[in-house]
Amino acid sequence: MAKTSNLENHDQEKVAVVMVPLPAQGHLNQLLHLSRLISAYHLPLHYVGTTTHTRQAKIRVQGWDPHSISNIHFHEFSTPSCEIPPPNPQSSTKFPSQLMPSFHATCHLRDPITSLLRELARCNKRVIVIYDSLIAWVLQDAPFIANVECYSFRSISALNIHSLALEFAGKSTEPNLPSIEGCFTQEFSEFSRVQTEFRELVNSGDLYNSCYEIEGLYLDLLAKEKSASHKQWAVGPLNPVIPYDKKDSNKRHKCLEWLDKQEPNSVIFVSFGTTTSLSDNEIEELAIGLEQRQQKFIWVLRDADKGDIFTGDVRKVELPKGYEERVIGRGLIVRDWAPQLEILGHLSTGGFMSHCGWNSCMESISMGVPIIAWPMHSDQPRNAFLVTNVLKIGVVLKDWALREELVTSVMVEECVKRLMDSVEGDKMRERAVELRQSVVDGGGSHKEMDSFITHITR
């Protein structure tokens, strides 16, 4: 992991970095991966959050062991207990409202984080805070600590950020771009508005989990609209980009052993992330479509996360009677936490049916796997647009304009065939592999990360 470059000439031992993630899996994961990259520059790294969510981040991270890096320090703080509602798979909107109590509870992190920053500021030349853009309110005391600088981490695509900025300014966006109608709840929109106000008070620059090979057009547009003093760095992909598989480990997930027995590019991986629960009707139609197509598949079938994943019962999703027996040898149902990065990096995986969360998009792109896009909420419809219309490495299963209509088994069957068994799908796979190679060769974790480290250790 040791990073060697001319950056070693800087007085780095007097610069400390603090990570402040939002307590949702996609956000926790991205900032923990970023911690790994920055720690390679021999800077002390402090990852802060609630006890529950820090534990969640550490046990779910893939591609490396957080306990193996000596200069990453975890600070776990408690917040008052709050009611933790279960996800509602039958809700008319897919947005994960069950996470909102955890988001609101982060206001109680303000005092312990301020205390930590003051302690670090006393013994470091500079303290760099990288905070999720949706948790800016915990840093409202940071401007009063002389040697603290705060940088906003944007956990969504540059396309999303740019198009939202245009809309809020009353300007027109790219043609055919999906509407944000139905993407968020009013409660979340108000929460986000509050964070934006605090972000404007503390922000010294922006970091993106993206790179110019993927989103160069939109990154350039964002840079053009900022003042000369406002800096940005595209430091993605944050996840390890070399396929990682613990083949000699007894901790290896059973699904990887099943994948070992399949032909290259023969398996479709089906997973909708940690913030989506499918309805009973959606599960039935998806199950029938996969069975009728007779394409080999791995399907991660689990409910969305609660605010605390370690407490309470988890809904056991029901499949059609006898389904798992009928698909033995051709399909594998996974009901626990699955190693998504390792599955995508496996040679047998030829496609990914996904909700198009930005974490999943970046992991799929960095592993060279094309996508069947079924967006559910938040930034996902526009991520799906990026994957299918701009990068052309995916097909749309459900158009966002038709989000209230049920995805049928016929739609599933046709989309799987289109991606996995057609000349069009083969070309998408080729483009995905080419894009992956360009990302691996020149991604932001190289020159852009060097630039950011040079800046904070100046």
Side-chain angles (χ1 to χ4, degrees), residues 281-293:
N281 288 339
E282 288 170 330
I283 289 167
E284 182 177 9
E285 292 295 328
L286 177 52
I288 293 170
L290 290 172
E291 183 178 14
Q292 289 177 339
R293 178 59 210 150

Side-chain angles (χ1 to χ4, degrees), residues 409-446:
S409 60
V410 172
M411 293 165 64
V412 171
E413 187 177 359
E414 289 177 348
C415 256
V416 172
K417 179 180 180 181
R418 186 178 166 194
L419 186 69
M420 301 295 291
D421 190 20
S422 75
V423 173
E424 179 190 19
D426 290 340
K427 290 181 178 177
M428 288 181 189
R429 224 170 333 274
E430 289 175 7
R431 283 195 293 271
V433 171
E434 290 172 1
L435 182 57
R436 162 191 151 71
Q437 198 56 54
S438 69
V439 168
V440 170
D441 291 343
S445 59
H446 305 304

